Amino acid sequence: MAKSAKTPKGKTNAEDYLQMYRQMVRIRTFEDTANQLYLSAKMPGLTHMYSGEEAVAVGICEALTDDDKITSTHRGHGHCVAKGANFKEMFCELLGKEEGYCRGKGGSMHIADQSHGNLGANAIVGGSMGIATGSALRAKLQGKDDVTVCFFGDGATAQGLLYEVMNMAALWNLPVIYACENNGYSEYTKTEEIAAGSITARAEAFGIEAFKVDGQDVLAVNDLTQKLVARCRKGEGPFFIELETYRYHGHHVGDINREYYRTKDEEKDWKTNRDPIIRFRSWLVSEGIATDEDIDAMNAEIEQDAAQAVAYAEAAAYPDGSEVTQHVYAD
Amino acid sequence: MREITLSQAVNEAIAEEMRRDETVFLLGEDVAEAGTPFKVLSGLVEEFGTERVIDTPIAEPGFMGIAVGAAMTGARPIVDLMFGDFIFLIMDQLCNQAAKTHYMSGGKLNVPLVLRTNLGATRRSAAQHSQSLQALVAHIPGLKVAMPSSAYEAKGLMKSAIRDNNPVVIFEDKLMYQDKAEVPEEEYLIPFGVGNVKRKGRDITLIATSSMVQVAEKAADILSAEGIEAEVIDPRTIVPLDEDLLIESVKKTSRAIVIDEGHQSYGVTSEIASRLNEKAFYHLDAPVTRMGAMDVPVPFSPALEDLTVPTPETVAAKARLLCGGELIDAA
């Protein structure tokens, strides 16, 4: 049976709480800005919004250090921000500019930031499960104590690769945490229509301890992850977490009219009653960790940061044409 | 000089590199105690232990993905893929993940891994264990492809592959594992992109890969007895390709046949022939001709299978045809 994580009570780590709040707002602000860029035709390509799922990325990544690794998904901006990336290099990447994290060669779906241990977003659903497991194998072989978190959606649990690598991770006790962001939809299809049985049971079949947690509760996510990361460092991995969450936007930014697969009422309910930022904000205020004024000031500062980063990215140079043949092969 | 088998040469190369660099490790099906079905890796587990010679479950995409992640984070995995035919199983991990990561990250992430596998028909293994899929791999930018034609090449190319910072695929001909050649005791590396003139000649250039080099050399013997002197060139790596060496030879001989065991259509032979047509056209006295495997799944029956690949006799006959007119005049 899946275990539930408990939310810690009380004000013991005010700074950590404010950092988690800040990171969630940074993701939301980044996404709102990216959405506007896309809708105003300033941003090329495809993009997939993370809004609504912030507590997952932040709760997990705040339990990691820069030495710890993550692999991300095609819905990867949130993980990238949560793992410590800067707005400036991120917006430059989204706009295909030279100063982007990947020099404009990755874009939204392939953004990577190895300086903070982000091994990259992946546009193949389930494509990074092997990479995350391999990173964990490397850590074990080299006697390092870093942990790798593999983010993937519920849709990716249909990919066979997950079962191959969970088998090996369990056989070899690898320091990897499989973090399944269950937002209820596999692209445009309700997950219950395509996923048989329980998601945590799939991991448990390999003898992997699996947990189910409210992915809208950043403290619950963080508390559980901290415990699992510590256990991974002691050689007790791998672990599996199913995080119940919700994506506010469509599958991708162009998925506007989506009533054929989910109702507006459902979306409204999640946004009004289960929003991770609204919830955490009222908790911070009620616990006396911050005032509404403090929080408004923090939000305004983040918005300004995003606006400046976008202005910078819009004015930034595209890579020189000579770069097109660079980086096919490493030296 | 001592003579060792191709199998021993590969084994020696890997052992030497594992001694030199502790980040090198092996993984694949039955690589440890069994030393692979072809016994190429026998004895390595005794020296390096099961931490560095890792038996995997039968899960090709899984362990290929694991190798990619390990390579991205500071290890140098060598993946043993039991049969080249299984490349179809790992295409996403090889072509979408390993090959593109360096480019998509703007040069910030490297994937230094070696995929060892094999090619070659005429072992009566039928259509799913006999394919030569080097063209498929060579088609994807970001991958390097080595094709040793003897024990000497196998050792020098393997050592270069392990030290290369890119994903490298090495195709060994499974009929050649017991073939012996002179291999120095002292260390040597064969650089990628440097072909080898196996035999000098003036009348026609036979460009051949892997076991087809032996076929070409035997064809050259047949032709020599008839007064046709063939130059035999082994490119050794098809990505990168030593184009200059091939062009220089064709400028001298004015005729060429390209021989490779992959299917002829859209294959390695087509690519090399095209480059010669583009870059040496005015030096040619006859069209550059291709000889690959027939465009059929490899049949089981010996009577049929032997028909599908080039032989010394069919190569000699084609060369005779190309050289015929002029040589008769010269006589």
Side-chain angles (χ1 to χ4, degrees), chain A residues 69 93 100-103 105-107 110 112 114 118-122 124 126-142 161 164-165 167-169 171-172 174 323-331, chain B residues 22-23 25 27 51-52 54-63 65-76 92-93 96-97 99 101-110 140-144 164-167 239:
Chain A
K69 314 284 190 254
E93 190 57 38
Y101 273 115
C102 307
R103 300 191 68 78
K105 284 175 167 164
H110 302 291
Q114 83 293 345
N118 180 357
L119 299 176
N122 205 304
I124 304 296
S128 72
M129 294 156 169
I131 294 169
T133 311
S135 168
L137 174 64
R138 178 268 323 151
K140 184 175 182 191
L141 293 180
Q142 299 185 353
L161 184 64
E164 297 191 6
V165 298
N167 184 39
M168 284 181 265
L171 278 170
W172 303 336
L174 300 183
E323 283 215 30
V324 71
T325 53
Q326 281 175 15
H327 310 128
V328 179
Y329 293 98
D331 294 334
Chain B
E22 62 182 21
T23 68
F25 71 97
L27 79 168
E51 286 264 292
R52 292 179 72 192
I54 303 172
D55 273 338
T56 64
I58 301 175
E60 290 85 359
F63 65 73
I66 285 173
V68 177
M72 278 168 72
T73 55
R76 290 185 175 269
D92 177 60
Q93 296 305 311
N96 277 325
Q97 313 298 341
T101 291
H102 185 69
Y103 193 82
M104 291 194 308
S105 69
K108 289 179 185 161
L109 290 163
N110 290 351
I140 304 302
L143 301 175
K144 294 185 178 179
D164 201 287
N165 285 327
N166 296 281
V239 182

Side-chain angles (χ1 to χ4, degrees), chain A residues 3 145 147 173-177 209-211 224-239:
Chain A
K3 299 171 188 172
D145 76 346
V147 172
N173 278 115
L174 300 183
V176 57
I177 297 172
E209 269 187 75
F211 303 82
L224 174 63
T225 311
Q226 285 196 32
K227 288 175 182 146
L228 299 184
V229 167
R231 290 182 62 191
C232 273
R233 295 203 209 284
K234 286 194 285 179
E236 295 175 22
F239 298 104

Side-chain angles (χ1 to χ4, degrees), chain A residues 13-328:
Chain A
N13 295 300
E15 228 168 87
D16 293 346
Y17 296 149
L18 289 173
Q19 165 70 2
M20 281 191 258
Y21 180 80
R22 172 191 296 277
Q23 288 293 69
M24 287 202 290
V25 175
R26 287 184 80 235
I27 294 173
R28 182 73 56 87
T29 308
F30 185 91
E31 292 298 57
D32 289 347
T33 313
N35 195 37
Q36 284 309 311
L37 274 175
Y38 186 87
L39 294 175
S40 56
K42 288 178 180 165
M43 180 180 163
L46 276 177
T47 192
H48 308 76
M49 294 290 122
Y50 195 72
S51 297
E53 305 186 10
E54 293 87 349
V56 173
V58 173
I60 289 176
C61 291
E62 283 299 316
L64 305 175
T65 69
D66 276 355
D67 285 338
D68 294 317
K69 314 284 190 254
I70 64 162
T71 63
S72 175
T73 68
H74 63 282
R75 200 176 300 290
H77 306 161
H79 309 129
C80 196
V81 171
K83 199 70 176 64
N86 299 316
F87 280 177
K88 195 175 92 177
E89 287 88 341
M90 283 189 72
F91 279 119
C92 280
E93 190 57 38
L94 261 52
L95 296 181
K97 301 299 178 76
E98 184 185 358
E99 289 178 71
Y101 273 115
C102 307
R103 300 191 68 78
K105 284 175 167 164
S108 167
M109 286 195 289
H110 302 291
I111 195 161
D113 168 23
Q114 83 293 345
S115 62
H116 293 101
N118 180 357
L119 299 176
N122 205 304
I124 304 296
V125 171
S128 72
M129 294 156 169
I131 294 169
T133 311
S135 168
L137 174 64
R138 178 268 323 151
K140 184 175 182 191
L141 293 180
Q142 299 185 353
K144 307 272 172 64
D145 76 346
D146 63 276
V147 172
T148 305
V149 174
C150 177
F151 287 103
F152 54 96
D154 44 306
T157 63
Q159 289 280 7
L161 184 64
L162 178 62
Y163 305 100
E164 297 191 6
V165 298
M166 282 201 300
N167 184 39
M168 284 181 265
L171 278 170
W172 303 336
N173 278 115
L174 300 183
V176 57
I177 297 172
Y178 299 100
C180 176
E181 306 179 312
N182 185 353
N183 63 23
Y185 294 89
S186 296
E187 300 195 358
Y188 311 86
T189 301
K190 269 192 187 6
T191 295
E192 66 204 35
E193 292 172 17
I194 56 140
S198 112
I199 284 178
T200 47
R202 297 169 182 214
E204 286 165 343
F206 293 96
I208 296 176
E209 269 187 75
F211 303 82
K212 197 167 183 171
V213 64
D214 179 358
Q216 305 308 87
D217 181 346
V218 70
L219 292 182
V221 175
N222 184 254
D223 184 57
L224 174 63
T225 311
Q226 285 196 32
K227 288 175 182 146
L228 299 184
V229 167
R231 290 182 62 191
C232 273
R233 295 203 209 284
K234 286 194 285 179
E236 295 175 22
F239 298 104
F240 187 102
I241 313 175
E242 179 185 353
L243 302 115
E244 291 175 293
T245 186
Y246 199 74
R247 60 162 213 242
Y248 289 174
H249 294 264
H251 165 55
H252 73 103
V253 277
D255 174 21
I256 308 284
N257 300 314
R258 46 187 179 264
E259 282 186 90
Y260 66 94
Y261 71 86
R262 72 183 200 188
T263 65
K264 283 190 169 152
D265 283 349
E266 178 186 298
E267 293 184 5
K268 194 175 161 208
D269 178 47
W270 278 84
K271 287 180 187 177
T272 317
N273 301 317
R274 300 189 66 178
D275 183 81
I277 296 175
I278 296 173
R279 265 172 73 169
F280 195 48
R281 177 181 173 138
S282 29
W283 185 82
L284 289 173
V285 173
S286 72
E287 295 289 315
I289 295 164
T291 63
D292 274 315
E293 291 72 31
D294 293 339
I295 288 175
D296 287 340
M298 188 195 287
N299 292 353
E301 185 197 315
I302 292 167
E303 267 195 39
Q304 201 185 0
D305 189 17
Q308 280 170 355
V310 166
Y312 184 91
E314 285 184 302
Y318 284 109
D320 187 78
S322 64
E323 283 215 30
V324 71
T325 53
Q326 281 175 15
H327 310 128
V328 179

Side-chain angles (χ1 to χ4, degrees), chain B:
Chain B
M1 199 186 292
R2 63 159 186 170
E3 289 199 339
I4 59 172
T5 64
L6 190 145
S7 174
Q8 288 169 317
V10 171
N11 189 299
E12 244 185 39
I14 292 173
E16 286 176 17
E17 291 305 301
M18 287 180 78
R19 278 176 216 132
R20 191 186 62 82
D21 179 352
E22 62 182 21
T23 68
V24 179
F25 71 97
L26 270 163
L27 79 168
E29 294 151 359
D30 300 319
V31 296
E33 280 73 20
T36 79
F38 295 104
K39 306 299 172 199
V40 178
L41 305 179
S42 293
L44 293 175
V45 73
E46 278 81 22
E47 180 175 353
F48 300 104
T50 51
E51 286 264 292
R52 292 179 72 192
V53 183
I54 303 172
D55 273 338
T56 64
I58 301 175
E60 290 85 359
F63 65 73
M64 184 63 204
I66 285 173
V68 177
M72 278 168 72
T73 55
R76 290 185 175 269
I78 304 169
V79 178
D80 184 286
L81 189 65
M82 199 182 283
F83 282 90
D85 311 70
F86 305 162
I87 279 178
F88 288 120
L89 294 167
I90 61 162
M91 280 309 239
D92 177 60
Q93 296 305 311
L94 180 66
C95 300
N96 277 325
Q97 313 298 341
K100 298 186 173 97
T101 291
H102 185 69
Y103 193 82
M104 291 194 308
S105 69
K108 289 179 185 161
L109 290 163
N110 290 351
V111 187
L113 69 82
V114 179
L115 177 67
R116 272 192 61 238
T117 191
N118 52 42
L119 58 71
T122 67
R123 206 186 165 95
R124 320 313 179 203
S125 304
Q128 294 174 347
H129 283 73
S130 304
Q131 295 168 91
S132 299
L133 298 175
Q134 54 274 20
L136 213 67
V137 178
H139 187 69
I140 304 302
L143 301 175
K144 294 185 178 179
V145 184
M147 299 181 66
S149 65
S150 74
Y152 176 83
E153 269 83 20
K155 183 169 180 187
L157 290 170
M158 175 60 76
K159 286 173 72 85
S160 293
I162 294 169
R163 297 187 196 187
D164 201 287
N165 285 327
N166 296 281
V168 177
V169 183
I170 297 192
F171 287 94
E172 296 155 9
D173 187 294
K174 51 187 165 296
L175 277 183
M176 287 172 57
Y177 281 124
Q178 297 313 313
D179 287 6
K180 286 190 171 180
E182 288 190 344
V183 175
E185 307 260 3
E186 57 273 18
E187 175 170 283
Y188 67 96
L189 280 83
I190 296 176
F192 284 5
V194 180
N196 184 26
V197 180
K198 297 285 285 188
R199 175 186 181 124
K200 287 207 171 289
R202 59 165 193 264
D203 299 317
I204 187 165
T205 302
L206 305 178
I207 299 160
T209 61
S210 185
S211 59
M212 290 296 111
V213 173
Q214 289 182 12
V215 168
E217 287 181 304
K218 285 178 189 156
D221 286 340
I222 297 171
L223 292 165
S224 182
E226 301 167 15
I228 299 172
E229 293 304 330
E231 181 145 299
V232 177
I233 297 185
D234 170 15
R236 301 199 285 205
T237 56
I238 57 169
V239 182
L241 180 68
D242 190 351
E243 204 177 74
D244 292 345
L245 182 73
L246 308 183
I247 290 168
E248 281 314 303
S249 175
V250 169
K251 282 182 178 173
K252 182 174 73 177
T253 63
S254 75
R255 295 174 173 84
I257 304 175
V258 192
I259 311 146
D260 174 87
E261 214 185 314
H263 297 302
Q264 184 160 310
S265 295
Y266 306 99
V268 170
T269 57
S270 309
E271 174 62 26
I272 294 176
S274 277
R275 293 207 207 181
L276 294 175
N277 283 329
E278 284 165 3
K279 293 176 180 167
F281 182 75
Y282 294 105
H283 299 273
L284 291 169
D285 288 335
V288 177
T289 301
R290 297 169 294 147
M291 295 183 77
M294 282 181 179
D295 294 325
V296 298
V298 178
F300 165 69
S301 169
L304 299 178
E305 189 185 25
D306 290 346
L307 299 174
T308 63
V309 295
T311 63
E313 291 72 28
T314 58
V315 172
K318 183 80 81 172
R320 217 174 276 130
L321 206 67
L322 289 174
C323 294
E326 193 173 295
L327 280 178
I328 289 161
D329 290 347

